[in-house]
Amino acid sequence: MAAPAALDGDVIVVGGGIVGLSAARALAAAGARTVVVERQRVGAEASTAAAGMLAPQAEAEEGSPLLELALRARDHHSALAPALEAETGLTVDLAGRGLIELAFTAEDRRRLAARREWQVRRGLAVEALGPAEVREAEPNVNPEVCGGLYVPGDRCVDNVRLVRALAASAVARGASIVTGRPVTGLVVENGRVAGVTAAAEVLRAPVVINAMGAWAGLLAGDPLPPPVEPVRGHIVAFDMAPALLRHVVCSPRGYLVPRADGRTLAGSTTERAGFDKTVTAAGLRAVLAIALEIAPVLADVRVADSWAGLRPGTPDGLPVIGPGALPGLIHATGLYRNGILLGPLAGEIAAALARGLPPPVDLAPFAVTRFAAARR
Ligand SMILES: Cc1cc2nc3c(=O)[nH]c(=O)nc-3n(C[C@H](O)[C@H](O)[C@H](O)COP(=O)(O)OP(=O)(O)OC[C@H]3O[C@@H](n4cnc5c(N)ncnc54)[C@H](O)[C@@H]3O)c2cc1C
């Protein structure tokens, strides 16, 4: 059965997570007929399961190609939040207060001092904190803390609201979003992409963006699929009013993220359990231990919710952003534990490529071809 012509387009984006919606929003603004095809509903997977940290300085290593991309992505959020609010009337709760990393041992302190040193050299804002300064900034953290680092630029956003606002903006700009429609494979004609199949339907477009998150390696017909694998993470949400924390607070084992709605999210685990989002006792125990180590007062606070999501991981921990192995195919996936941070920028880069424009950053470290040798 042929799809209605209205679902054919200039670009088909497979996946309605933060990456796919960001790509669609940028494409629609540029006048491209854009169709997002999502197998469930918008934001059904990692993009709403995440904690919403925007933390390049806490996450990236010195010299990693991820660092420059991540710093750029953090700046991108500063412009995106007000733009989305102006366009859609939806706030995304981009926090203004920064992130504090805690040290509990001499080894933690040494690690934070080393991080501070290279970040200062790189010209990034970061401050060492003594134990009293940590407690002054965050009176509810564990009194056993022996030092910390304050990173004013790293912060958080409400990723659920962000996904909602991106979808609203993409639609307002003219993109179509089709939900409940699993894409099964690529349509390939004369050696190039010509669309996708979704069950018995064919949706036609000369460019397809694979924004399928942890499922990105499963698009049939791709000769060099990105080797993305699902990495499960658990989150526990605490209900607290007034909020116990003012900043995002990290330990060497995990984090607490205060939300504007009064909840505090605790995360997370790193588990290779296939495509299984079951919330397990072991996962909850691990996250509760992280939370109570950072803020023992949480022991008396109501647990409001818990869930698990699947991060799109890659063998080298770097994203896959750039052209695929067929003309017309573009990848924007593998954002692993930084997809809320990187997603809007990655989507916009994919949109630029889809329009035949040069990418705004060097994509060589993120090319899918880096995995070609491993497949031979
Ligand atoms: C517990 C947890 C905590 C995290 N915390 C943070 C954080 O604090 N900061 C941060 O930056 N990142 C964080 N992340 C990572 C971040 O959530 C992901 O990297 C990001 O959401 C990936 O976005 P995406 O759009 O690529 O994938 P997804 O949001 O997973 O979207 C992919 C979409 O593709 C759809 N899809 C899949 N297959 C098909 C198909 N065949 N046909 C049609 N549609 C399909 C799915 O239904 C899904 O909606 C966290 C992740 C988890 C799980």
Side-chain angles (χ1 to χ4, degrees), residues 220-241:
D222 181 352
L224 182 56
V228 174
E229 66 160 345
V231 184
R232 185 168 69 192
H234 279 73
I235 297 276
V236 172
F238 294 90
D239 228 354
M240 307 190 280

Side-chain angles (χ1 to χ4, degrees), residues 304-330:
D305 202 356
S306 62
W307 60 86
L310 301 176
R311 308 174 185 92
T314 59
D316 58 8
L318 295 178
V320 180
I321 308 172
L326 289 169
L329 176 62
I330 292 163

Side-chain angles (χ1 to χ4, degrees), residues 14-20 37-55 159 181-184 211-216 219 231-235 255 257 268-269 307-312 332-343:
V14 187
I18 192 166
V19 176
V37 189
E38 163 57 50
R39 89 188 149 163
Q40 302 174 72
R41 55 184 197 286
V42 154
E45 297 289 350
S47 297
T48 53
M53 280 191 292
L54 309 175
N159 43 294
R181 194 98 47 121
V183 168
T184 41
M212 293 161 65
W215 295 264
L219 190 57
V231 184
R232 185 168 69 192
H234 279 73
I235 297 276
Y255 51 78
V257 178
S268 185
T269 53
W307 60 86
L310 301 176
R311 308 174 185 92
T333 183
L335 305 188
Y336 188 37
R337 39 190 292 158
N338 290 301
I340 302 306
L341 169 65
L342 300 171

Side-chain angles (χ1 to χ4, degrees), residues 285-297:
R285 179 180 58 191
V287 173
L288 290 172
I290 289 166
L292 297 186
E293 183 194 38
I294 295 175
V297 288

Side-chain angles (χ1 to χ4, degrees), residues 6-295:
L7 291 187
D8 297 345
D10 297 322
V11 183
I12 289 172
V13 180
V14 187
I18 192 166
V19 176
L21 295 170
S22 300
R25 175 174 180 266
L27 283 162
R33 287 180 310 142
T34 306
V35 184
V36 177
V37 189
E38 163 57 50
R39 89 188 149 163
Q40 302 174 72
R41 55 184 197 286
V42 154
E45 297 289 350
S47 297
T48 53
M53 280 191 292
L54 309 175
Q57 288 179 243
E59 286 279 322
E61 299 300 328
E62 181 179 22
S64 159
L66 191 59
L67 177 68
E68 299 310 318
L69 187 73
L71 289 170
R72 193 175 176 131
R74 189 177 68 184
D75 288 346
H76 188 74
H77 275 276
S78 303
L80 179 64
L84 284 174
E85 195 164 343
E87 274 177 51
T88 65
L90 300 171
T91 163
V92 300
D93 292 338
L94 181 64
R97 274 233 172 85
L99 175 150
I100 293 177
E101 287 194 82
L102 305 180
F104 287 102
T105 64
E107 172 54 24
D108 293 347
R109 272 217 316 258
R110 194 203 53 73
R111 204 179 39 81
L112 291 186
R115 175 111 51 86
R116 180 176 162 276
E117 197 185 304
W118 74 255
Q119 294 197 352
V120 167
R121 236 186 298 122
R122 167 67 179 70
L124 298 170
V126 52
E127 281 170 39
L129 301 176
E133 289 168 308
V134 172
R135 300 266 298 153
E136 192 183 327
E138 285 295 353
N140 287 307
V141 301
N142 194 332
E144 286 173 21
V145 72
C146 68
L149 216 54
Y150 172 51
V151 185
D154 280 2
R155 45 201 182 144
C156 62
V157 68
D158 186 324
N159 43 294
V160 176
R161 287 171 171 263
L162 178 57
V163 164
R164 208 177 292 147
L166 285 168
S169 166
V171 169
R173 290 173 169 201
S176 305
I177 301 180
V178 184
T179 55
R181 194 98 47 121
V183 168
T184 41
L186 291 169
V187 175
V188 180
E189 287 173 0
N190 304 319
R192 61 163 300 130
V193 162
V196 298
T197 49
E201 290 181 322
V202 172
L203 280 63
R204 301 191 69 84
V207 179
V208 173
I209 296 177
N210 178 343
M212 293 161 65
W215 295 264
L218 304 180
L219 190 57
D222 181 352
L224 182 56
V228 174
E229 66 160 345
V231 184
R232 185 168 69 192
H234 279 73
I235 297 276
V236 172
F238 294 90
D239 228 354
M240 307 190 280
L244 287 184
L245 297 174
R246 295 185 282 226
H247 305 82
V248 175
V249 180
C250 302
S251 77
R253 284 155 286 282
Y255 51 78
L256 292 177
V257 178
R259 281 269 160 97
D261 65 7
R263 290 183 311 160
T264 294
L265 304 190
S268 185
T269 53
T270 303
E271 305 163 72
R272 284 176 169 77
F275 291 98
D276 179 0
K277 293 191 293 176
T278 305
V279 174
T280 66
L284 290 178
R285 179 180 58 191
V287 173
L288 290 172
I290 289 166
L292 297 186
E293 183 194 38
I294 295 175

